[in-house]
Structures are given as C-alpha cells and as structure tokens.
Amino acid sequence: MSPIDPKDVEVTRARMEADDVRASYGGLMRGKRAVITGVANDRSIAWAIAQAFHAEGAELVFTYPGEAMERRVRPLAESLGAKAILDCDVAKDDDIDRAVADVRKVWDRVDVLVHSIGYAPREALAGRFADVTTREAWRVAMDVSAYSLVGLARAFKPLMRPGASIVSLSYYGAEKVVRNYNVMGVAKAALECSTRYLADDLGADGIRVNCISAGPLKTLAAAGIKGMRDMLSENAERTPLRRNIEQEDCARAALYLCSDLGKNVTGEVLHVDAGQNIVGVVSMG
Ligand code: NAD
C-alpha cells in the first residue's frame, strides 16, 4: 500500500468541510413549528439554529426582549419567513404569557422551543467571584439565564404535544471553574439541573428537554465576559480536536436533539465543544 500523502488528507478534509456546510438532511424538521428565543444578531447561536431548522423545513416564530433588540432581530427573522416576531423579555411573566397568546394566534401547537438566553450584569463577569457576586447580580443572572427555562416551559407546555422538545444552551463553567465566568457558571449549573427536572416532569407528556453545552464562541453575550478573546485562542490549542467550535455545530446538535433523531434522548447535556470537557492537565511539560 502506498503511504498517504498529507496533501491529499488536507484536500479531502477541505472537501468534506465544504460538503458539510451545504449539507441538508432531507427535511428533518419538515412540518415542525419552532419558537426561537435569543437571536441578537447573525452571530447568535440561536440564529444558526434558526437557519438550520428553516433549511430542514421548520416554520419559525422569533422572540426578542424590547424595542432596541427588535430592530436587529426583525430583518433576520423576516428573511426566514417568520410566522410571528414577538416582544418577550423573559424576566417578565406578562411578556411570556403574551408571547404564548400571540403564538396561539398563528399556530395551534408548538413542536420545538429553543431557549438561547443568557445574561448577568457585566460587573459580575470580571474579577473575584466573592467580591463581584452581589445579591442583585445573582438574582438577575439566575432569573434571566435559568428560571426563564422553567417559566417558558410551563407557559408553552399547553401548546406542546407528545414528540415536542425543548433545548437550551449551557457552558462548561457550570461544571468547573472558569475564571470571570463567575455567577453565569452558577446560573448554568441551575439551567442544567432544571433541564433534568423538567425532562422528568414533562416526559410524562411526551416532551423532551435537553441542553447543549457549547464551546466558547465570539457572540454578543460572550463579549461581556472579561478575557474572552484570550480564552478563545488558548482554547483552540487545548481541545482534543485542536480547534474552536462554530455556531453551526450547535445548530447541527439542535437538529439532532429536536428532530425525531433524538426521540429517546431527554434530560441530557450534550457537549459540543471539540472535546474540551474531557481534558484535565493539557501538558506535563
Ligand atoms: P447572544 O448575545 O447572541 O444571545 C444571547 C441572547 O439572550 C440575546 O439574543 C439576548 O437578546 C437574549 N436575552 C438576554 N436577556 C434577555 C431577556 N431578559 N429576555 C429575553 N432574551 C434575553 O449570545 P449567544 O452566545 O448566542 O448566547 C446564546 C446562549 O448560548 C446563551 O444562553 C449563552 O449563555 C449560551 N452560550 C454561549 C457561549 C458562547 O461562548 N458564546 C458558549 C456556551 C453557551
């Protein structure tokens, strides 16, 4: 057998990656109706998920928190033929109830709910955890980033039939200390734990609840975390796959979890992180 030329390996890899970007999975989400929260711009993880769902045949409703965000979200949502684009600040019960009522005007059921929301006051995301984690920062981070999953799940449950699913986005800072991630790590731990409790509870109604633990990505939310830029370049060297992930990786994972491919998967935290979470000490040198 002739030895493999490294150049051929590179060419094959490049071709596979190009195919991957164009890949379609034959209408995995055909007929499904998905509510997408958390699009802020075209770098948002939720936007990559929305595009993938749309490409696979889903109908979409988008939510945004407040007028300032609407200007960013509306053009993106309209480009995918959104059935509705709704104001919903998840820190407000009235907003959540109104969003459900508005969804009822266009659909009689919801098959997928994407929770892609995270927020903590900026001052809490830089510096020593004990010093910067005020009662108010804790309350806001927990409310917006973790409780909102429970609040949205409860509100949308009456519209969800057996086979429906909910997915949210977490990060490794829920499991291990990531400096400066601080109270967001605590909130993500609550989000992941809530995923398990909701999965058990809503499993009785045939509704699945899962979470994607994504590797670091340059998005608006991430820009609020001190040292993010350095962390991204260091991370790319340390993951088993020696690279960072992309928003589209989360989108493909969401397709798996929210389509019938994942029909017996629930309460799971799926790491989409180029293997980052399995690494302990990177180098003994
Ligand atoms: P992003 O800034 O694009 O999305 C965050 C979204 O949260 C925004 O659309 C914002 O409007 C929304 N939001 C904030 N407060 C809200 C409120 N009160 N009501 C409703 N929506 C509100 O950034 P992203 O990185 O795409 O974040 C999406 C999710 O992914 C978040 O849960 C984030 O913690 C998680 N995540 C991000 C990374 C990363 O490195 N970027 C890694 C792992 C997990």
Side-chain angles (χ1 to χ4, degrees):
M1 223 164 67
S2 54
I4 296 170
D5 182 340
K7 263 193 267 143
D8 288 345
V9 174
E10 266 316 303
V11 169
T12 309
R13 185 185 297 158
R15 202 172 290 143
M16 278 170 65
E17 282 177 359
D19 284 348
D20 199 28
V21 171
R22 287 194 302 265
S24 161
Y25 304 97
L28 274 180
M29 303 294 284
R30 196 171 295 132
K32 290 200 190 285
R33 293 166 168 181
V35 174
I36 310 283
T37 68
V39 173
N41 56 34
D42 62 3
R43 302 190 73 89
S44 295
I45 296 171
W47 177 239
I49 294 174
Q51 287 178 295
F53 281 12
H54 175 74
E56 293 301 318
E59 286 182 15
L60 306 173
V61 160
F62 290 82
T63 72
Y64 60 86
E67 254 175 58
M69 210 41 105
E70 178 179 10
R71 262 173 278 135
R72 299 172 182 222
V73 177
R74 186 165 286 281
L76 292 170
E78 282 175 349
S79 75
L80 296 186
K83 295 293 166 201
I85 305 166
L86 307 171
D87 191 354
C88 180
D89 178 342
V90 293
K92 299 176 184 159
D93 285 338
D94 288 351
D95 275 27
I96 294 179
D97 292 343
R98 198 184 51 231
V100 173
D102 287 344
V103 168
R104 278 185 190 281
K105 289 179 193 159
V106 290
W107 290 338
D108 61 359
R109 58 163 221 280
V110 167
D111 302 299
V112 177
L113 172 65
V114 175
H115 176 288
S116 189
I117 295 170
Y119 178 78
R122 205 182 176 104
E123 335 57 275
L125 301 175
R128 294 180 60 169
F129 178 69
D131 294 341
V132 298
T133 309
T134 60
R135 192 184 295 273
E136 181 60 5
W138 176 283
R139 189 193 64 72
V140 170
M142 282 289 180
D143 185 15
V144 175
S145 313
Y147 173 74
S148 60
L149 176 69
V150 181
L152 285 172
R154 183 172 53 248
F156 277 100
K157 184 164 76 99
L159 277 168
M160 298 184 119
R161 309 273 177 268
S165 76
I166 300 174
V167 69
S168 70
L169 272 300
S170 189
Y171 176 59
Y172 186 56
E175 301 168 52
K176 296 280 192 263
V177 170
V178 176
R179 285 192 189 137
N180 293 319
Y181 198 62
N182 292 355
V183 73
M184 273 306 293
V186 180
K188 291 301 190 192
L191 181 81
E192 293 185 8
C193 191
S194 302
T195 298
R196 292 185 281 274
Y197 277 88
L198 284 171
D200 180 55
D201 183 16
L202 302 188
D205 303 311
I207 301 167
R208 298 182 296 106
V209 187
N210 290 291
C211 189
I212 295 169
S213 182
L217 285 161
K218 225 188 274 174
T219 63
L220 196 62
I225 303 159
K226 188 172 176 248
M228 185 69 188
R229 189 192 295 251
D230 291 344
M231 205 259 264
L232 271 166
S233 56
E234 280 170 29
N235 192 66
E237 289 164 21
R238 290 182 184 176
T239 66
L241 290 173
R242 311 302 196 270
R243 62 189 180 216
N244 284 319
I245 69 155
E246 291 168 356
Q247 279 81 338
E248 289 69 24
D249 297 309
C250 297
R252 280 185 285 266
L255 275 179
Y256 162 65
L257 290 172
C258 299
S259 70
D260 295 343
L261 286 180
K263 77 177 241 210
N264 272 324
V265 180
T266 196
E268 199 64 49
V269 177
L270 175 62
H271 292 90
V272 178
D273 62 356
Q276 178 197 359
N277 73 96
I278 65 159
V279 176
V281 177
V282 175
S283 160
M284 296 296 282

